[in-house]
Amino acid sequence: ETGVTQTPRHLVMGMTNKKSLKCEQHLGHNAMYWYKQSAKKPLELMFVYNFKEQTENNSVPSRFSPECPNSSHLFLHLHTLQPEDSALYLCASSQEPLAGVETQYFGPGTRLLVL
Amino acid sequence: AQSVSQHNHHVILSEAASLELGCNYSYGGTVNLFWYVQYPGQHLQLLLKYFSGDPLVKGIKGFEAEFIKSKFSFNLRKPSVQWSDTAEYFCAVNAHNTDKLIFGTGTRLQVFP
C-alpha cells in the first residue's frame, strides 16, 4: 500500500461509453500524474498536475480529459475511446514537482479494456 | 527527444547469481535518474535514485546503480540475487527542472531457487 488508491481496478467499456477513472492520494502530496502502460511499450506520461494546475499534457488525444479538483484527487474522464486505448492506467503522486527530484508513489492502476 | 533504453527485456537467473541490468538514456543536459521495481501483484515503487554527488547509489534490498555520465548509463546491479527479487525493473530519467519522467520499457527478472 503506497497511499495512492485507484478505482475502479478493472473497467470494460464500449467505444461510445463515457466513464471516469479516479485516483486519490493520502500522502499530502502536491503533484499528481496520469500514466499509460501498454504491453511492450514504456510507461507513457499523459498529464501532470502541480497544485491542481495542469502543467503537462503529453500530446494526449482529447478523448482523455483530466480533472484535478484538489491536490488529493485526480480524475481521468474517458469518452469515445478506441480499442488501442486499452491499457493499464496508472496514477502517481509526489510531494513537489519533479524538479525537486521527488520520488513518485504509484497506485495499483486501472486495467481498461475498450471493446 | 529524451529516451531511455533497457536492452535486457527478460533476464533469468539462479539464486546467488550476480545481476546487472542495463539502462542508457539520451539527453545531453543534467538529468535525474531512477530505478523503479514492480513485484508481482504490487505497485511500482522506487528502488533508488540519483540526482547529484556520488555516482554510485545504494538502494533498498542490496541494489546499487552507477551513473556513468560519459556513457549516458545508469546500470542496476546486485551481487547475489534472491528468489524474492523476481520482478519487473524500470529505469527512468527526467531532465533537470522538468516534470516529465521518461521510462524505459522495463526488464523482467526471474530468479529461480
Side-chain angles (χ1 to χ4, degrees), chain A residues 90-111:
Chain A
L90 291 170
C91 174
S93 71
S94 65
Q95 181 63 46
E96 299 292 342
L98 281 172
V101 202
E102 300 294 333
T103 299
Q104 287 190 40
Y105 293 82
F106 285 83
T110 295
R111 176 73 63 185

PDB file of all heavy atoms in Angstrom, chain A residues 90-111:
ATOM      1  N   LEU A  90      -2.093   4.249 -14.837  1.00  0.00           N
ATOM      2  CA  LEU A  90      -1.504   4.409 -13.510  1.00  0.00           C
ATOM      3  C   LEU A  90      -1.553   5.859 -13.075  1.00  0.00           C
ATOM      4  O   LEU A  90      -1.282   6.765 -13.862  1.00  0.00           O
ATOM      5  CB  LEU A  90      -0.038   3.954 -13.517  1.00  0.00           C
ATOM      6  CG  LEU A  90       0.207   2.463 -13.697  1.00  0.00           C
ATOM      7  CD1 LEU A  90       1.687   2.202 -13.922  1.00  0.00           C
ATOM      8  CD2 LEU A  90      -0.256   1.697 -12.484  1.00  0.00           C
ATOM      9  N   CYS A  91      -1.870   6.032 -11.824  1.00  0.00           N
ATOM     10  CA  CYS A  91      -1.817   7.348 -11.200  1.00  0.00           C
ATOM     11  C   CYS A  91      -0.616   7.373 -10.262  1.00  0.00           C
ATOM     12  O   CYS A  91      -0.251   6.342  -9.679  1.00  0.00           O
ATOM     13  CB  CYS A  91      -3.106   7.571 -10.416  1.00  0.00           C
ATOM     14  SG  CYS A  91      -3.148   9.087  -9.441  1.00  0.00           S
ATOM     15  N   ALA A  92      -0.005   8.519 -10.143  1.00  0.00           N
ATOM     16  CA  ALA A  92       1.117   8.677  -9.215  1.00  0.00           C
ATOM     17  C   ALA A  92       1.050  10.045  -8.566  1.00  0.00           C
ATOM     18  O   ALA A  92       0.384  10.952  -9.075  1.00  0.00           O
ATOM     19  CB  ALA A  92       2.454   8.504  -9.943  1.00  0.00           C
ATOM     20  N   SER A  93       1.734  10.179  -7.446  1.00  0.00           N
ATOM     21  CA  SER A  93       1.828  11.488  -6.812  1.00  0.00           C
ATOM     22  C   SER A  93       3.234  11.682  -6.280  1.00  0.00           C
ATOM     23  O   SER A  93       3.971  10.722  -6.059  1.00  0.00           O
ATOM     24  CB  SER A  93       0.805  11.631  -5.680  1.00  0.00           C
ATOM     25  OG  SER A  93       1.163  10.825  -4.569  1.00  0.00           O
ATOM     26  N   SER A  94       3.597  12.942  -6.099  1.00  0.00           N
ATOM     27  CA  SER A  94       4.877  13.262  -5.464  1.00  0.00           C
ATOM     28  C   SER A  94       4.691  14.522  -4.634  1.00  0.00           C
ATOM     29  O   SER A  94       3.762  15.294  -4.854  1.00  0.00           O
ATOM     30  CB  SER A  94       5.993  13.448  -6.494  1.00  0.00           C
ATOM     31  OG  SER A  94       5.755  14.573  -7.310  1.00  0.00           O
ATOM     32  N   GLN A  95       5.609  14.707  -3.691  1.00  0.00           N
ATOM     33  CA  GLN A  95       5.474  15.832  -2.767  1.00  0.00           C
ATOM     34  C   GLN A  95       5.447  17.159  -3.527  1.00  0.00           C
ATOM     35  O   GLN A  95       4.604  18.012  -3.305  1.00  0.00           O
ATOM     36  CB  GLN A  95       6.633  15.803  -1.758  1.00  0.00           C
ATOM     37  CG  GLN A  95       6.579  16.918  -0.735  1.00  0.00           C
ATOM     38  CD  GLN A  95       5.340  16.824   0.134  1.00  0.00           C
ATOM     39  OE1 GLN A  95       5.004  15.739   0.610  1.00  0.00           O
ATOM     40  NE2 GLN A  95       4.665  17.928   0.335  1.00  0.00           N
ATOM     41  N   GLU A  96       6.417  17.313  -4.389  1.00  0.00           N
ATOM     42  CA  GLU A  96       6.518  18.531  -5.184  1.00  0.00           C
ATOM     43  C   GLU A  96       6.742  18.111  -6.625  1.00  0.00           C
ATOM     44  O   GLU A  96       6.979  16.945  -6.899  1.00  0.00           O
ATOM     45  CB  GLU A  96       7.709  19.376  -4.709  1.00  0.00           C
ATOM     46  CG  GLU A  96       7.636  19.831  -3.269  1.00  0.00           C
ATOM     47  CD  GLU A  96       6.534  20.826  -3.008  1.00  0.00           C
ATOM     48  OE1 GLU A  96       6.029  21.442  -3.972  1.00  0.00           O
ATOM     49  OE2 GLU A  96       6.160  20.989  -1.840  1.00  0.00           O
ATOM     50  N   PRO A  97       6.689  19.034  -7.558  1.00  0.00           N
ATOM     51  CA  PRO A  97       7.009  18.663  -8.944  1.00  0.00           C
ATOM     52  C   PRO A  97       8.388  18.037  -9.057  1.00  0.00           C
ATOM     53  O   PRO A  97       9.239  18.239  -8.220  1.00  0.00           O
ATOM     54  CB  PRO A  97       6.956  20.007  -9.679  1.00  0.00           C
ATOM     55  CG  PRO A  97       6.090  20.866  -8.855  1.00  0.00           C
ATOM     56  CD  PRO A  97       6.275  20.420  -7.432  1.00  0.00           C
ATOM     57  N   LEU A  98       8.599  17.316 -10.126  1.00  0.00           N
ATOM     58  CA  LEU A  98       9.801  16.510 -10.281  1.00  0.00           C
ATOM     59  C   LEU A  98      11.095  17.314 -10.256  1.00  0.00           C
ATOM     60  O   LEU A  98      12.159  16.767 -10.082  1.00  0.00           O
ATOM     61  CB  LEU A  98       9.730  15.722 -11.591  1.00  0.00           C
ATOM     62  CG  LEU A  98       8.847  14.478 -11.529  1.00  0.00           C
ATOM     63  CD1 LEU A  98       8.694  13.883 -12.902  1.00  0.00           C
ATOM     64  CD2 LEU A  98       9.423  13.462 -10.573  1.00  0.00           C
ATOM     65  N   ALA A  99      11.011  18.591 -10.461  1.00  0.00           N
ATOM     66  CA  ALA A  99      12.226  19.397 -10.442  1.00  0.00           C
ATOM     67  C   ALA A  99      12.986  19.216  -9.139  1.00  0.00           C
ATOM     68  O   ALA A  99      14.189  19.390  -9.078  1.00  0.00           O
ATOM     69  CB  ALA A  99      11.867  20.865 -10.645  1.00  0.00           C
ATOM     70  N   GLY A 100      12.271  18.852  -8.086  1.00  0.00           N
ATOM     71  CA  GLY A 100      12.910  18.639  -6.800  1.00  0.00           C
ATOM     72  C   GLY A 100      13.397  17.227  -6.601  1.00  0.00           C
ATOM     73  O   GLY A 100      13.735  16.838  -5.488  1.00  0.00           O
ATOM     74  N   VAL A 101      13.433  16.444  -7.651  1.00  0.00           N
ATOM     75  CA  VAL A 101      13.888  15.052  -7.573  1.00  0.00           C
ATOM     76  C   VAL A 101      13.050  14.246  -6.586  1.00  0.00           C
ATOM     77  O   VAL A 101      13.570  13.446  -5.813  1.00  0.00           O
ATOM     78  CB  VAL A 101      15.387  14.934  -7.198  1.00  0.00           C
ATOM     79  CG1 VAL A 101      15.939  13.594  -7.632  1.00  0.00           C
ATOM     80  CG2 VAL A 101      16.179  16.051  -7.819  1.00  0.00           C
ATOM     81  N   GLU A 102      11.776  14.490  -6.594  1.00  0.00           N
ATOM     82  CA  GLU A 102      10.913  13.777  -5.674  1.00  0.00           C
ATOM     83  C   GLU A 102      10.617  12.367  -6.165  1.00  0.00           C
ATOM     84  O   GLU A 102      10.514  12.116  -7.356  1.00  0.00           O
ATOM     85  CB  GLU A 102       9.590  14.543  -5.528  1.00  0.00           C
ATOM     86  CG  GLU A 102       9.742  15.951  -4.993  1.00  0.00           C
ATOM     87  CD  GLU A 102      10.237  15.968  -3.566  1.00  0.00           C
ATOM     88  OE1 GLU A 102       9.988  14.994  -2.833  1.00  0.00           O
ATOM     89  OE2 GLU A 102      10.868  16.961  -3.177  1.00  0.00           O
ATOM     90  N   THR A 103      10.435  11.461  -5.231  1.00  0.00           N
ATOM     91  CA  THR A 103      10.003  10.116  -5.551  1.00  0.00           C
ATOM     92  C   THR A 103       8.526  10.150  -5.919  1.00  0.00           C
ATOM     93  O   THR A 103       7.741  10.838  -5.273  1.00  0.00           O
ATOM     94  CB  THR A 103      10.206   9.204  -4.336  1.00  0.00           C
ATOM     95  OG1 THR A 103      11.600   9.188  -4.017  1.00  0.00           O
ATOM     96  CG2 THR A 103       9.707   7.803  -4.611  1.00  0.00           C
ATOM     97  N   GLN A 104       8.168   9.403  -6.944  1.00  0.00           N
ATOM     98  CA  GLN A 104       6.755   9.263  -7.272  1.00  0.00           C
ATOM     99  C   GLN A 104       6.215   8.002  -6.616  1.00  0.00           C
ATOM    100  O   GLN A 104       6.872   6.963  -6.601  1.00  0.00           O
ATOM    101  CB  GLN A 104       6.568   9.174  -8.787  1.00  0.00           C
ATOM    102  CG  GLN A 104       6.786  10.505  -9.467  1.00  0.00           C
ATOM    103  CD  GLN A 104       6.381  10.491 -10.912  1.00  0.00           C
ATOM    104  OE1 GLN A 104       5.369   9.911 -11.283  1.00  0.00           O
ATOM    105  NE2 GLN A 104       7.157  11.134 -11.733  1.00  0.00           N
ATOM    106  N   TYR A 105       5.008   8.127  -6.092  1.00  0.00           N
ATOM    107  CA  TYR A 105       4.323   6.990  -5.471  1.00  0.00           C
ATOM    108  C   TYR A 105       3.164   6.599  -6.373  1.00  0.00           C
ATOM    109  O   TYR A 105       2.311   7.434  -6.699  1.00  0.00           O
ATOM    110  CB  TYR A 105       3.830   7.371  -4.076  1.00  0.00           C
ATOM    111  CG  TYR A 105       4.969   7.619  -3.113  1.00  0.00           C
ATOM    112  CD1 TYR A 105       5.631   8.848  -3.097  1.00  0.00           C
ATOM    113  CD2 TYR A 105       5.405   6.624  -2.243  1.00  0.00           C
ATOM    114  CE1 TYR A 105       6.696   9.076  -2.232  1.00  0.00           C
ATOM    115  CE2 TYR A 105       6.462   6.854  -1.376  1.00  0.00           C
ATOM    116  CZ  TYR A 105       7.102   8.075  -1.376  1.00  0.00           C
ATOM    117  OH  TYR A 105       8.157   8.285  -0.528  1.00  0.00           O
ATOM    118  N   PHE A 106       3.139   5.341  -6.748  1.00  0.00           N
ATOM    119  CA  PHE A 106       2.177   4.880  -7.738  1.00  0.00           C
ATOM    120  C   PHE A 106       1.005   4.147  -7.108  1.00  0.00           C
ATOM    121  O   PHE A 106       1.148   3.462  -6.090  1.00  0.00           O
ATOM    122  CB  PHE A 106       2.862   3.939  -8.741  1.00  0.00           C
ATOM    123  CG  PHE A 106       3.740   4.650  -9.727  1.00  0.00           C
ATOM    124  CD1 PHE A 106       5.036   4.996  -9.409  1.00  0.00           C
ATOM    125  CD2 PHE A 106       3.249   4.989 -10.983  1.00  0.00           C
ATOM    126  CE1 PHE A 106       5.848   5.671 -10.318  1.00  0.00           C
ATOM    127  CE2 PHE A 106       4.051   5.660 -11.903  1.00  0.00           C
ATOM    128  CZ  PHE A 106       5.341   5.996 -11.563  1.00  0.00           C
ATOM    129  N   GLY A 107      -0.143   4.285  -7.755  1.00  0.00           N
ATOM    130  CA  GLY A 107      -1.297   3.488  -7.409  1.00  0.00           C
ATOM    131  C   GLY A 107      -1.239   2.136  -8.099  1.00  0.00           C
ATOM    132  O   GLY A 107      -0.329   1.874  -8.883  1.00  0.00           O
ATOM    133  N   PRO A 108      -2.228   1.289  -7.846  1.00  0.00           N
ATOM    134  CA  PRO A 108      -2.238  -0.055  -8.419  1.00  0.00           C
ATOM    135  C   PRO A 108      -2.661  -0.090  -9.883  1.00  0.00           C
ATOM    136  O   PRO A 108      -2.468  -1.093 -10.556  1.00  0.00           O
ATOM    137  CB  PRO A 108      -3.249  -0.800  -7.558  1.00  0.00           C
ATOM    138  CG  PRO A 108      -4.179   0.260  -7.075  1.00  0.00           C
ATOM    139  CD  PRO A 108      -3.352   1.502  -6.900  1.00  0.00           C
ATOM    140  N   GLY A 109      -3.254   0.999 -10.351  1.00  0.00           N
ATOM    141  CA  GLY A 109      -3.663   1.055 -11.754  1.00  0.00           C
ATOM    142  C   GLY A 109      -5.098   0.623 -11.981  1.00  0.00           C
ATOM    143  O   GLY A 109      -5.704  -0.079 -11.166  1.00  0.00           O
ATOM    144  N   THR A 110      -5.625   1.079 -13.105  1.00  0.00           N
ATOM    145  CA  THR A 110      -6.920   0.618 -13.611  1.00  0.00           C
ATOM    146  C   THR A 110      -6.667  -0.078 -14.933  1.00  0.00           C
ATOM    147  O   THR A 110      -6.110   0.526 -15.861  1.00  0.00           O
ATOM    148  CB  THR A 110      -7.892   1.793 -13.833  1.00  0.00           C
ATOM    149  OG1 THR A 110      -8.208   2.403 -12.594  1.00  0.00           O
ATOM    150  CG2 THR A 110      -9.173   1.297 -14.508  1.00  0.00           C
ATOM    151  N   ARG A 111      -7.062  -1.337 -14.994  1.00  0.00           N
ATOM    152  CA  ARG A 111      -6.906  -2.088 -16.252  1.00  0.00           C
ATOM    153  C   ARG A 111      -8.132  -1.813 -17.113  1.00  0.00           C
ATOM    154  O   ARG A 111      -9.238  -2.160 -16.744  1.00  0.00           O
ATOM    155  CB  ARG A 111      -6.803  -3.581 -15.939  1.00  0.00           C
ATOM    156  CG  ARG A 111      -6.737  -4.492 -17.154  1.00  0.00           C
ATOM    157  CD  ARG A 111      -5.414  -4.416 -17.856  1.00  0.00           C
ATOM    158  NE  ARG A 111      -4.286  -4.849 -17.045  1.00  0.00           N
ATOM    159  CZ  ARG A 111      -3.022  -4.773 -17.436  1.00  0.00           C
ATOM    160  NH1 ARG A 111      -2.731  -4.292 -18.626  1.00  0.00           N
ATOM    161  NH2 ARG A 111      -2.057  -5.188 -16.652  1.00  0.00           N
TER     162      ARG A 111
END
